[in-house]
Amino acid sequence: MATPDAEHRTGARVSARIGGISESATLAVDTKAKALRAAGRPVIGFGAGEPDFPTPQPVVDAAIAACSDPRNHRYSPAAGLPELREAIAAKTRRDSGVVVQPGQVLVTNGGKQAVYQAFQTLLDPGDEVLLPAPYWTTYPEAITLPGGVPVVVPADESTGYLVSVDQLEAARTPRTKVLLFNSPSNPTGAVYPPEQVEAIGRWAVEHGIWVITDEIYEHLVYGDARHVSMLTAVPELADTCVVLNGVAKTYAMTGWRVGWMIGPADVIKAATNLQSHLSSNVANVSQRAALEAVSGPLDAVHEMRAAFDRRRRKMVELLSAIPGVSCPVPQGAFYAYPSVKELLGKEIRGARPRTSVELAALALEHAEVAVVPGEAFGTPGYFRLSYALGDEDLVTGVTRLAELLGEAR
Ligand SMILES: Cc1ncc(COP(=O)(O)O)c(C=O)c1O
């Protein structure tokens, strides 16, 4: 135990900066669901943010071969293996039509590190970041850590969770430096139509605002929806745009931890300096696996997309049939984001949940179904349900949820 004197000398045990970071709510739900399952409860988890498919075999084979190659047993350049940076530049040209040089690519330990480093590299204390909500739970933490100020721009189901240029303009101040843009979106599954991407990008150019565009779900779009990269829509943004991406969602490679950031050479150089002191190179075996993935075909993601599309329709059908639940049809990623606002304050099994956190806890307790409450995404009154789980579990889980919520009086 520290004596009062020692406490006086050293201040708080954990710094205010780090002490202020909350646990990732999505990971927490997933962990809790897994723990209950391990204890024998038949919990169905809708919390996971990862495909339930195996990594494609050629990618696994490339990693196995890489393990035996002594070249991969040593440190490699912090910015990434030169051949992987080249392959990512080529993949970007192939998928988005955007020409970038390998020197504009920084390979990171998952897309998450790319998010973190992008904000660390661009923000000074007091810089404001326009953050459309519902937002992915990691963004506000990554913005706040370097002293940035998230300025939330809320959207709801009435606009399909899309924000307009007018809303962004109303939130702009002289301190606005960055717009965070994420389409297809986690948590809503919303996909901005190409003309709206262009309008937002043009507005950013006009006002000298940087765009950090998180395109990690680029290949997971359904029906008529089309993903357009921000840089494809507005090439004039090239000098003030950072693109975030990775192999996790496209190739079912969440555990391999390979992502990247693409941006102007000076920003990438600065971010590489940061990474060289923070984590150095991403594991070489994972980089070799990612090289195989991004250089290869997109067959695996097309197969996953067909399955996700089928599950998406089923989930929306089942959720929409629950009185008090309204669920816009998600057009991308693998999440549904229904509003449960009408159910709050009603009686269910002797309880009267007043928030989506309380309602989600009730669902876990009585329906043995794990969902992430909207509080985690800056919008209380909603649930996020991932449909990256087996068809049968999906139907069983949503049916259980429907039975429970159907009791609301
Ligand atoms: C919107 C978004 N961006 C980035 C990531 C980061 O993915 P990873 O760090 O697994 O590459 C995720 C993961 O859930 C995400 O949903």
Side-chain angles (χ1 to χ4, degrees), residues 49 109-112 115 136 139 182 186 214 216-217 248-249 254 257-258 335:
N109 190 58
K112 230 173 214 179
V115 171
W136 182 41
Y139 297 139
N182 172 219
N186 175 4
D214 184 340
I216 201 157
Y217 293 99
K249 319 290 176 173
T254 47
R257 311 311 301 137
V258 181
Y335 309 102

Side-chain angles (χ1 to χ4, degrees), residues 91 152 218 265 304 376:
K91 166 251 168 281
V152 173
E218 63 180 333
M304 287 197 297

Side-chain angles (χ1 to χ4, degrees), residues 213-346:
T213 173
D214 184 340
E215 305 188 350
I216 201 157
Y217 293 99
E218 63 180 333
H219 290 293
L220 293 174
V221 290
Y222 313 105
D224 295 335
R226 206 157 64 78
H227 169 260
V228 174
S229 173
M230 181 56 87
L231 272 183
T232 311
V234 185
E236 296 87 334
L237 265 174
D239 203 40
T240 48
C241 182
V242 176
V243 181
L244 310 179
N245 208 329
V247 293
K249 319 290 176 173
T250 303
Y251 304 99
M253 290 178 70
T254 47
W256 298 82
R257 311 311 301 137
V258 181
W260 55 87
M261 45 191 293
I262 293 176
D266 57 337
V267 169
I268 293 303
K269 177 74 183 104
T272 304
N273 290 345
L274 167 63
Q275 185 168 311
S276 74
H277 292 290
L278 180 72
S279 54
S280 302
N281 62 279
V282 172
N284 292 326
V285 170
S286 286
Q287 291 198 67
R288 296 276 169 208
L291 175 60
E292 177 69 25
V294 298
S295 317
L298 290 166
D299 302 351
V301 70
H302 293 156
E303 261 173 55
M304 287 197 297
R305 187 167 63 194
F308 290 149
D309 190 15
R310 185 179 67 239
R311 297 168 186 176
R312 168 184 81 110
R313 291 161 195 267
K314 193 70 196 170
M315 182 176 265
V316 171
E317 178 197 319
L318 295 173
L319 287 172
S320 303
I322 307 174
V325 172
S326 89
C327 186
V329 181
Q331 296 185 301
F334 38 66
Y335 309 102
Y337 201 69
S339 163
V340 293
K341 281 181 267 187
E342 279 186 36
L343 294 171
L344 301 179
K346 295 198 168 166

